[in-house]
Amino acid sequence: MKLSPTTLGPLFAMIAVTLFSLNDVTMKFLSGDYALHQIVLIRSIVGMTVVLLFMAPFQGGLPALKTKRLGAQMARAGLVFFANMTFFLGLAALPLADAVALFFVSPFIITIFSVIFLGETVGPRRWGAVAIGMIGVAVVLRPGTASFQLASLLPIAAAFGYAGLHIMTRYLRNTETTVSMVFYIQLMFIIATCVLGLLMGDGKFASSGNASLEFLFRPWVWPDVGDLPYIAVLGLFASVGGYFISLAYRTGEAALVAPFEYLALPLSIILGMLIFDEWPDAIAWSGIALILASGLYTVWREHQLSKPQRPKREG
């Protein structure tokens, strides 16, 4: 039975989000023993292997990796690298659910970027949803209290990178293949982490006492044999997840696919509770609820305004 794009898009998105959530859990699990750039390098080598041996052959082989916009591809890959690194650094210090919830400020940033870079018009209802979402972010951050951590700003920085990624994907989707987008991401990761390893892999900047900084500056060590499967599976999760999320947005309408990315929120809460014994308190729950509700409204409103019968984009 052949599935329609309206079914395949959300299905691909759910597969991707599940893989990304497992990737987050594994990265947090390893964050106390290895340097982030070392883990990402090994993960990317595995991911590149998956791309070259399994993904590319299904899309026409090596010719499918060719690009007409190398600069744009590398810029997009750089945004993915920035988003991943900042999110994982935040993950080392924050509860899983808090980090994921703060990251979901990205739909609001995408709304702002769509106005700045794509010339779209945003009316009062969506600006209101953005404002409510930002209130939810403030509730989770708790600025000015003893609970506030500077590391909480890292998932928000990651959201800016992710928003830029979406803008670049819109720009490239008509000329570039899905597998080429995944390929250049892995290439960027390998190059950037090798440079970081050369600059700080000896651990000369370590011993700060901060979980995020330790994750960044810790010296490279030979992985424990028991940890190698976890590091290797990161490459599988990242490459296959990246492939499916790109496929999701190429197959289905963005407004239909985007809400399914919010599956990451309940998954992060469940996985955080089961694996790390983390459970959001009442204040965090209220902030997460505001972010979730306003994000889903933003996506729904975008869908309503994108219907052909609506001649104008208004609020």
Side-chain angles (χ1 to χ4, degrees):
M1 181 178 66
K2 186 176 181 180
L3 298 178
S4 68
T6 56
T7 300
L8 286 174
L11 178 61
F12 291 153
M14 288 189 288
I15 293 172
V17 168
T18 301
L19 292 172
F20 288 148
S21 296
L22 294 173
N23 182 83
D24 295 345
V25 168
T26 308
M27 188 65 76
K28 185 174 178 64
F29 175 74
L30 295 169
S31 66
D33 299 308
Y34 302 99
L36 173 57
H37 34 89
Q38 180 185 11
I39 297 174
V40 173
L41 175 59
I42 299 172
R43 183 191 79 165
S44 300
I45 292 172
V46 175
M48 182 65 87
T49 303
V50 172
V51 170
L52 295 177
L53 295 184
F54 300 101
M55 292 184 183
F58 286 101
Q59 290 203 355
L62 293 180
L65 304 181
K66 291 181 180 179
T67 178
K68 299 177 181 179
R69 298 175 176 179
L70 179 60
Q73 282 272 24
M74 296 306 287
R76 178 180 179 275
L79 289 168
V80 179
F81 178 77
F82 174 79
N84 271 252
M85 295 295 282
T86 49
F87 180 76
F88 291 143
L89 288 173
L91 203 59
L94 300 172
L96 183 63
D98 286 12
V100 172
L102 290 170
F103 176 76
F104 272 102
V105 71
S106 55
F108 318 131
I109 300 171
I110 291 171
T111 298
I112 296 169
F113 279 7
S114 69
V115 173
I116 297 173
F117 297 112
L118 301 178
E120 296 182 0
T121 300
V122 174
R125 295 184 189 179
R126 278 189 292 163
W127 283 128
V130 169
I132 292 172
M134 292 304 182
I135 293 172
V137 169
V139 170
V140 175
L141 283 176
R142 307 180 205 189
T145 70
S147 300
F148 174 73
Q149 298 184 62
L150 282 175
S152 300
L153 300 178
L154 289 167
I156 298 176
F160 274 90
Y162 187 72
L165 157 69
H166 267 281
I167 299 298
M168 289 301 297
T169 301
R170 292 186 194 182
Y171 176 69
L172 291 168
R173 63 186 176 185
N174 293 327
T175 62
E176 309 300 299
T177 65
T178 301
V179 71
S180 74
M181 292 187 186
V182 180
F183 170 78
Y184 286 104
I185 288 174
Q186 300 300 335
L187 181 63
M188 170 62 75
F189 273 48
I190 290 172
I191 294 172
T193 50
C194 283
V195 171
L196 288 176
L198 291 172
L199 293 175
M200 60 183 69
D202 58 358
K204 58 187 174 186
F205 300 116
S207 303
S208 68
N210 178 277
S212 296
L213 292 178
E214 281 297 301
F215 195 21
L216 179 62
F217 295 130
R218 187 178 291 119
W220 286 26
V221 296
W222 190 256
D224 185 90
V225 174
D227 289 337
L228 284 175
Y230 294 104
I231 298 175
V233 83
L234 283 171
L236 182 65
F237 291 157
S239 57
V240 178
Y243 178 82
F244 271 105
I245 198 64
S246 295
L247 199 58
Y249 280 97
R250 291 175 70 95
T251 304
E253 293 182 6
L256 177 65
V257 171
F260 289 89
E261 290 199 57
Y262 281 85
L263 176 64
L265 268 175
L267 278 177
S268 68
I269 293 170
I270 294 169
L271 292 171
M273 179 184 65
L274 294 177
I275 298 173
F276 302 110
D277 196 27
E278 300 169 346
W279 186 253
D281 60 21
I283 296 176
W285 270 115
S286 61
I288 290 170
L290 287 172
I291 293 170
L292 177 62
S294 55
L296 288 173
Y297 176 81
T298 299
V299 171
W300 173 81
R301 188 62 180 166
E302 177 66 25
H303 175 59
Q304 293 297 110
L305 294 169
S306 66
K307 290 180 178 179
Q309 63 268 30
R310 298 291 292 269
K312 293 193 300 183
R313 296 176 64 85
E314 55 183 34

